[in-house]
Amino acid sequence: MAAPGPYICAETQGGGFPMWLLAKKDVRIRHSSSTFFKKYDQNFSKYCLQWYANILPILKKHQITEKKNGCVIALQIENEMFEQLFKYLPIGLSDEMRHLCEAARNFRMTVPFFTNDAFEEGSFNPKSSKFGIDLYGFDKYVIFVPISSPLGALLGDSTKQTAGRIEFADWEPKTFSAAVDIMEKKVRSFKGGAAESPIFIPELQGGWFNHYTVPYTYDDIYNFYGDNYTNTLVNSVIAQGSTMFSIYMFYGGTNWGTLGDPDVYTSYDYSACIREFGYLSGKARRLRLAFCFIKSFSNLISQTDLVVGNAEKDWTLSVSPPQILNRIRKTAMSNNATEFVFLRNFSSEKRSKVNFTLKFATKSIKMNCNLPYKQSFIALCNYAFCDNRFHLLLNTAPIHMRIKQDDNTEIWMIQNDEECSGEFAFRGEVKVEGSLKAEIRNFHISDDNYSIVAFNKGAGWASLSNGVDSAKLLIFSLNSEDLLTFYAKFEESWFSKTKITQPHSAFTNPTFCCWGVDGAKLYDGKLSIEATKDQQYIFSLNNSCPQGFQEIDKLGEVEDDNITKYLGAPYLYIYSLVKETSPKQFFEFKRPALTNWHFRHTSFQSLPWVPLKNLASTNYEFKPSMDPLDFGFTSGHVLYKFTFDINNKATTIEFNISYRHRATIYLNGEAVGGSLTYSLQLFQPGTKVGPEWNFGGWKRFTLPKNILNETNELVIITESFGLNRQAFIFNDCRNPRGILGLKFSKGSLKNLKSFISGVDIKNVIDSFSSSGFPDENISQWNIVDTVKNKSTAIELELKCNQLPTWFKGDFQYTRTHLHIPLRLQMGGRGTAYIWVNGFLIARYYGNGDSPQKNFYIMHGILLEGTNEVKLLCYDGRVENKDNSNENIFVEIKEWKVNDSKVNLNDRWSGNIEENGKSYVVFRKDLKL
């Protein structure tokens, strides 16, 4: 699904619109005349058309309607644009949507069009009005981090802190249920296209982003949601009949340079399924299991109807606690009675033990389940297989995948361990063989026999037969740790290079599946694996033995319990990594040392200063007639210079100043103060989102008398966290930046003159790659002779009152057989902009304006051999002048992750743990 905008959002500066367009202040961006109000702007539409003229011909070539191996299946028009708010407030423009849809069709886009309502409001519902949209879509964000919630944006932060650490209250299942469990009914009530087309969620919550000034990181947000949140959300929306959704974000990544808007800092990790440094988290691994189930049963679950009452069964189901049973849906496939039972542990008692009762006319059957609080899975009910010779009434242990070997044999991958376990109820008697020991309870009800099979907890395999014919069910039980490494490759018939003849209503079997290593991916006949030093075997479940593997029974004598529990299992093969990874030095990693440091100071006198016109009526007040956007100064810093004279050095010089977002003040070349104007609340000075009022946010400063001269130079470095993103109903992308106003105390000075300096982004290749300092590319450097080395950590001297200082060093990097994501770790209370090999990768704030201290160095920007690190550092603090050296600490490290042996959520979180395990994996391609 392609989403070319024109509006992008994604917490980027200006919502993704180019800065030169925002600078055209006669153009109404997104047609907004003010917050809540729109008026169609032909000029803005003209620029949108120009964008479409460039991007859509590229997408056109890749439409599935254009060629067999096309990949674009649908086109999103605009992004999170309301037609109406709360059903009654008409805040959208029909002409805007019609214009964009018509333009896209004129550029020969032939796939279905959709848009994404910011939440379920029925905006631009197809067929009810002629907008050109084919599919109604809406975004679904359910649980917010407390500080980021709509209520938090209005009322401010009420989150508790202890010893500088955040204390999040657990997210409430009641909030979750209230948001999700009415979705189907509400969307269908919109009628028109929303009542007929699949329930479609273009953005389904995959985590949440983080803000400046907060005391917590993405690791805390990950812990707030937990490993199972996204999986539970996916299962819950499928329970509501949704069969189309895209997770936002599945991988968040990084706001390189100054890409982000004021809502987000450098990292856009999002606590997503794939963490910023490429780590496949437990959240992703659990979701992958859910997708394996959905894909395995796609012929049955792709279209379902809600079950109300007993339907066609000769028994009824009750669950205790009742909150565990979310919904039951029946496949819409003709001549098939399979039902899907959506189980979700939102019990008020938070207990894991669940009791099921299958009540027949004359007798009841009891079943047990252990389902942890806030976890979920989809169970099968009335599922017949092996040509109806096996009949599953219900499973209360998760089935994660099925494989149909032939008409006589089916394979299930299940979980039945200490974390999650249950039983299987079959119609008829069954026999069990294999390493999995089982207790079978038989029942005779109304001339029918029933069997409840309860396997011993743990890993192994079992073969179930009906004792009548050759029908066979093979069950492989994996423990939680192995399940989190489980990988299955499903071949999509549309994109397959080989012809797949089976109809869409047929079984969907994986072409390959395996477990045992951190990562696996099958493509072009190769299995690309990633393994840690503790992972020595790859298990594969397939029709035939893959190249390089061997039958598990041909290993000879083995004592490893991970292998012996599967001995005798059919279709199971193994690949040994022992010989390849056994040398101790195989996984050794030596951190790169930062060396060859140079420095230079910014010379304010040498910068290119442009005189500013002053709108103020007196000699004591400064109000610029042009703001930074007019100059193209939208990336990072904007510098202001004021020159003035005084008659008496004993005079107290005070001034009030309003700026956005940060300011550092220098008087005659020496830092004398600085502060921040930023707010997490709506309508406040420096607000992260939404319009702000021009009053408020003023700060008062007194200039030190001992630094004043008769003729003075006052330089104020302002830094913007970015332009607001014009989200939803807001008209905020031109919120003021830089200095909004400055007022000196009357009678204190004379001959006030003002100047501005910065970098015009129209003159650089990347709009978000500049610090805003005009001297950022000067090549004159001095050797640093005061570097302090502590192992691979570097200390760079930075006096709090000195001029902004540039540092440059290098490190060596060699590509090996290991995959080792790197981070640059910063310390100290200064501010730093960070470049690696010419790429502005990050912004660091040691004073707490941002919580981030570790910055991902993307693998693609690393060079074989010598790599350069460049820093712009300054510190405007004036306290503790007697101890004015506050060193900047710099080190390049591998990612150290939690390696809990007890808690799998911690073990697979990807959270930084400095005393944890180095994330180092061995990569290899296996030909199959």
Side-chain angles (χ1 to χ4, degrees), residues 48 129 179 212 277 293 326 419 568 649 736 750 783 810 845 867:
C48 292
S129 298
Y212 290 100
F277 63 103
F293 174 87
N326 180 9
E419 180 187 73
K649 290 181 63 177
K750 58 183 179 180
I783 296 176
D810 55 45
Y845 303 96
N867 292 260

Side-chain angles (χ1 to χ4, degrees), residues 26-45:
D26 59 331
V27 174
R28 292 191 291 276
I29 302 300
R30 300 188 79 190
H31 304 280
S32 293
S33 53
S34 65
T35 292
F36 288 105
F37 295 100
K38 288 188 173 187
K39 183 178 181 181
Y40 190 81
D41 184 349
Q42 187 65 44
N43 285 329
F44 176 69
S45 291

Side-chain angles (χ1 to χ4, degrees), residues 194 221 289 313 422 444 756 813:
I221 295 178
L289 292 172
K313 296 192 297 293
H444 186 80
I756 193 171
Y813 177 76

